[in-house]
Amino acid sequence: MKAHRIDGKAISDQIKAEAAWEAQKLQRQGIVPCLAVILVGEDPASKVYVNNKKKACEAVGILSRSYVLPADTEEKELLDLVAQLNADEGVHGILVQLPLPPHMDENQVILAIDPKKDVDCFHPWNVGLAQMGQQGFVPCTPAGVMELITRSGYAVEGKRCVVIGRSHNVGKPIAMLLLQANGTVTICHSKTRDLAEICCQADILVSAAGRVHMVTADMVKPGAVVIDVGINRDENGKLCGDVDFDAVCEVAGAVSPVPGGVGLMTVAMLMKNCITAAKLQNGQ
């Protein structure tokens, strides 16, 4: 029996509908949730991401402000814009699209964003709050992974969970959220020995390595839930993930596809974080 195909579109639509309902409640109180997105340069992938976020804002009822700066913009000019948005009470969320041009220090730019408006949850203040499980923002992609698992009816508590990838923005926070949900978590990476053997023990396997089809059927425990966070291009230029989807579907219990999985969830969780920011900044 083939694995259940986890429907990222249906689940993300559900979350965006919940966000739209919350946005309407705020608007009835005279509060218009607002997200400011800053793009520096002409990176094609970044432009697509920004456009997708703008469309999602429109669908949910969040006011979207876009700031597009030339690639040769000085870092100080970007920091000045962030400071202006920090001080603007009409802006509830600030997102600086990464990556930035090489001459800019991404860490300094992230630190400049008011933590109360850091809806990407990249600021160390919010990372710390999330680490402790306290109120604040949860990183969008890791939060989306958790929603895919739980809203598909799969429990994390007591399960053996394996995360492939240890990036600050994805791998580590996914592992943290699985741990907070009472999973028993192993983090694997490029230096991990016996990767296949470790993955075969996982009830829940999350791959965020960024390598085309690195997760093969022989690495998956029968009946496991497999979440593919990878966004890659195969030899034909076709969008694909880290998981050999067709082969793994013959073994796993459930698999998230690429496209149609985690990517859609990331945008939906950003909308949810924007609503949370507007509520917190208005004492709710």
Side-chain angles (χ1 to χ4, degrees):
M1 184 175 176
K2 283 202 172 187
H4 166 64
R5 180 188 177 104
I6 295 176
D7 191 343
K9 184 179 187 309
I11 297 173
S12 65
D13 284 348
Q14 184 181 49
I15 291 169
K16 285 189 284 188
E18 293 167 3
W21 184 76
E22 292 284 349
Q24 289 173 2
K25 281 178 60 180
L26 288 169
Q27 288 167 5
R28 286 196 291 269
Q29 301 169 45
I31 302 165
V32 180
C34 176
L35 172 66
V37 179
I38 303 172
L39 174 62
V40 184
E42 297 291 328
D43 180 72
S46 293
K47 290 174 75 173
V48 170
Y49 293 145
V50 167
N51 191 47
N52 288 342
K53 290 163 185 174
K54 184 175 181 180
K55 288 180 179 177
C57 284
E58 291 172 355
V60 168
I62 295 172
L63 179 63
S64 175
R65 293 195 202 172
S66 296
Y67 300 85
V68 181
L69 306 178
D72 60 357
T73 299
E74 292 294 326
E75 183 178 301
K76 183 181 182 305
E77 186 178 341
L78 173 58
L79 293 174
D80 287 345
L81 174 56
V82 170
Q84 292 171 23
L85 296 172
N86 283 340
D88 188 338
E89 294 184 357
V91 173
H92 302 104
I94 302 171
L95 187 155
V96 178
Q97 184 66 45
L98 302 180
L100 290 171
H103 68 281
M104 291 186 175
D105 185 336
E106 288 186 357
N107 289 329
Q108 289 302 313
V109 173
I110 289 168
L111 284 171
I113 298 172
D114 184 339
K116 297 191 298 295
K117 300 187 179 188
D118 169 42
V119 288
D120 250 344
C121 194
F122 287 169
H123 194 288
W125 177 271
N126 286 320
V127 172
L129 288 176
Q131 181 73 34
M132 294 185 292
Q134 295 187 11
Q135 186 181 43
F137 306 116
V138 182
C140 299
T141 298
V145 168
M146 295 301 293
E147 293 286 356
L148 277 183
I149 295 169
T150 57
R151 293 191 187 227
S152 296
Y154 303 104
V156 174
E157 185 170 346
K159 300 296 175 59
R160 301 196 73 168
C161 307
V162 172
V163 178
I164 307 173
R166 55 177 170 177
S167 68
H168 296 309
N169 298 335
V170 181
K172 288 179 182 177
I174 287 173
M176 173 197 68
L177 292 174
L178 289 166
L179 185 63
Q180 289 176 357
N182 296 318
T184 300
V185 184
T186 300
I187 303 177
C188 298
H189 45 79
S190 60
K191 307 299 182 184
T192 298
R193 296 179 181 178
D194 304 319
L195 176 64
E197 182 180 334
I198 295 171
C199 290
C200 279
Q201 300 174 32
D203 301 305
I204 298 173
L205 175 60
V206 181
S207 183
R211 289 176 54 191
V212 175
H213 294 169
M214 70 165 293
V215 177
T216 52
D218 61 342
M219 298 170 65
V220 176
K221 178 181 179 179
V225 176
V226 180
I227 304 295
D228 192 348
V229 187
I231 300 178
N232 313 301
R233 296 280 177 181
D234 64 15
E235 63 275 8
N236 300 314
K238 184 180 178 182
L239 192 66
C240 66
D242 292 352
V243 177
D244 186 350
F245 185 82
D246 290 337
V248 168
C249 276
E250 300 292 336
V251 181
V255 187
S256 73
V258 176
V262 175
L264 296 170
M265 296 298 297
T266 298
V267 176
M269 299 313 296
L270 174 64
M271 299 299 101
K272 185 173 181 178
N273 277 354
C274 288
I275 297 297
T276 298
K279 291 169 72 174
L280 288 174
Q281 289 167 46
N282 285 277
Q284 300 182 30

